[in-house]
Amino acid sequence: EPKRFSLDTAFPNPFNKLIRIHFTINNPGYVDIGIYDLKGKWIRNLIGKHMQNGKDNIAWNVSDMVGTPVASGAYLVVMKFGNSIQTKKIKLIK
């Protein structure tokens, strides 16, 4: 069975201090979710681990990998699972 998944809602969007990203995987496997700016620059990795199938969520507190708050603007949530990628646009308003 192919590895299927969905990058579901990101709430609230637009957001200010915290956004919760919901996703579903239909098979156990390695899940990688990261935040990128619109130019493709990597901002932060949120998940990078093997997970069981089902619905789950992760929160982002608008900081980069060293804890520095990022600027207002649009960002991309990028989810990789198996050989597929899904993206969702989110907007930070401070």
Side-chain angles (χ1 to χ4, degrees):
E1 182 177 335
K3 293 187 177 209
R4 296 182 316 206
F5 70 103
S6 62
L7 183 54
D8 303 323
T9 59
F11 184 80
N13 192 18
F15 66 105
N16 183 291
K17 294 180 181 174
L18 184 105
I19 189 166
R20 190 154 297 276
I21 299 151
H22 297 263
F23 60 95
T24 304
I25 59 173
N26 294 334
N27 312 78
Y30 192 84
V31 176
D32 189 12
I33 299 178
I35 305 294
Y36 294 78
D37 68 15
L38 293 184
K39 294 179 181 177
K41 179 183 174 192
W42 176 67
I43 303 296
R44 181 172 188 135
N45 193 49
L46 300 178
I47 291 180
K49 65 180 182 179
H50 190 274
M51 299 183 72
Q52 296 301 313
N53 58 309
K55 294 180 180 273
D56 210 334
N57 67 81
I58 187 78
W60 180 42
N61 66 354
V62 305
S63 64
D64 64 14
M65 285 304 286
V66 295
T68 305
V70 298
S72 294
Y75 293 89
L76 293 174
V77 178
V78 177
M79 180 176 179
K80 300 173 188 172
F81 185 70
N83 294 324
S84 300
I85 297 174
Q86 289 185 14
T87 62
K88 187 168 290 287
K89 190 174 181 181
I90 57 176
K91 189 165 186 176
L92 169 61
I93 300 174
K94 291 186 179 183

